[in-house]
Amino acid sequence: MQRPLTVSVVIPVKDDDCELARCLGAMSRQTRPADEIIVVDNGSTDSSAAVAAAFGVRVVRCETPGIPAASARGYDSARGDVVLRLDADCIPADTWVEAIADAFAARPDVAVFAGGARFIDGPAPLRSVLALVYLGAYVALLTPTLGHLPLFGSNLGFRRAVWQAVGDRVHRWHDDMHDDLDLAFHMGERHRIRYLRSARMGISMRPFSSGRSFATRIRSGAVTVVAHWPEDFPPVRWARLVMRRTASADDRADAAA
């Protein structure tokens, strides 16, 4: 009998003590508890680290500013077979860990699962519509850019071995990067990504509360895409991915013969 997969959860945080307490409260109600929870304190000046300690989770310091560095520090520190990622202002469904862990156990051919989200604040009548528009546009724009599904850092799971394969190539020191997108460029190159509907997540509308905040997100996405050119210019990347997938299919056919 194969042993159950162990699960690490990574939560980067900076000055979000109240939101972190809410998030960790939701993590404490999981139907399948994580084997470890790592809160990466990215230079908080509030009580975020104390909140994490009060919940009994691991606290890791990251002095390098920016989500890319903080996220990477958490992934480096993880000990589980599978690494899950969400943000401090997220509220996962009680079945979130269980859903992703079960999906990885059932699909050994999948290296990365990305989930969707719903807004938990902002105007109630607009939450579902805005979430659909935001995430739909994100997928519609970036799937052709990448040649595969993008990743969504607020609801993400991957095998730790995949991170170990790409961790030295991600742009962890660039705080103007969109870390989810950068990770997608590297993980999607050789590893299968799938969408997991059952991984349900609540996210905050705070990042879209102002035009300036939204423009910052757009700019970081553009910076990330251009940083991967010319090697990952879409037609070049598509051709490389097609050749790699064709070769993999041929190898599987030969093995089955």
Side-chain angles (χ1 to χ4, degrees):
M1 182 176 178
Q2 193 174 27
R3 70 171 179 83
L5 296 171
T6 54
V7 177
S8 299
V9 175
V10 171
I11 310 174
V13 65
K14 181 174 183 179
D15 296 333
D16 256 349
D17 49 7
C18 293
E19 290 77 10
L20 179 63
R22 185 181 62 181
C23 177
L24 291 175
M27 289 302 305
S28 71
R29 297 189 294 271
Q30 293 294 301
T31 55
R32 193 284 197 197
D35 295 281
E36 68 171 351
I37 298 175
I38 302 168
V39 170
V40 184
D41 181 13
N42 195 205
S44 296
T45 57
D46 66 0
S47 60
S48 292
V51 166
F55 274 90
V57 305
R58 285 179 65 194
V59 180
V60 175
R61 294 281 297 181
C62 177
E63 302 299 337
T64 304
I67 295 176
S71 299
R73 180 77 173 87
Y75 305 153
D76 287 342
S77 302
R79 304 177 184 131
D81 301 311
V82 171
V83 180
L84 275 54
R85 153 76 191 279
L86 75 165
D87 294 317
D89 58 1
C90 290
I91 302 181
D94 292 351
T95 56
W96 183 63
V97 173
E98 182 178 14
I100 302 180
D102 286 352
F104 276 115
R107 292 290 306 271
D109 59 314
V110 176
V112 188
F113 280 109
R118 61 181 178 84
F119 285 123
I120 53 177
D121 52 22
L126 298 178
R127 291 176 188 174
S128 297
V129 174
L130 290 176
L132 181 62
V133 170
Y134 167 59
L135 293 175
Y138 183 76
V139 172
L141 287 171
L142 293 179
T143 298
T145 301
L146 294 163
H148 52 75
L149 284 174
L151 301 181
F152 182 48
S154 296
N155 191 355
L156 172 64
F158 51 84
R159 298 183 191 275
R160 183 163 60 95
V162 176
W163 168 252
Q164 292 172 331
V166 306
D168 62 345
R169 299 199 299 275
V170 301
H171 295 76
R172 63 173 72 200
W173 311 123
H174 298 251
D175 63 353
D176 58 346
M177 286 279 190
H178 191 297
D179 67 305
D180 314 356
L181 181 53
D182 183 46
L183 202 60
F185 270 107
H186 296 286
M187 288 190 169
E189 178 77 19
R190 296 177 181 274
H191 304 282
R192 182 171 294 177
I193 299 171
R194 289 293 181 267
Y195 173 71
L196 186 61
R197 185 183 298 275
S198 60
R200 295 182 291 119
M201 179 66 64
I203 62 172
S204 174
M205 205 180 289
R206 288 190 309 165
F208 314 99
S209 60
S210 70
R212 181 177 180 181
S213 177
F214 186 71
T216 298
R217 284 182 166 255
I218 297 297
R219 184 168 58 253
S220 68
V223 167
T224 306
V225 169
V226 173
H228 288 85
W229 290 356
E231 181 182 0
D232 287 305
F233 188 67
V236 176
R237 183 176 174 89
W238 300 339
R240 189 171 67 249
L241 291 176
V242 167
M243 288 189 292
R244 182 165 288 130
R245 290 165 186 169
T246 301
S248 295
D250 290 343
D251 290 344
R252 289 194 297 271
D254 291 343

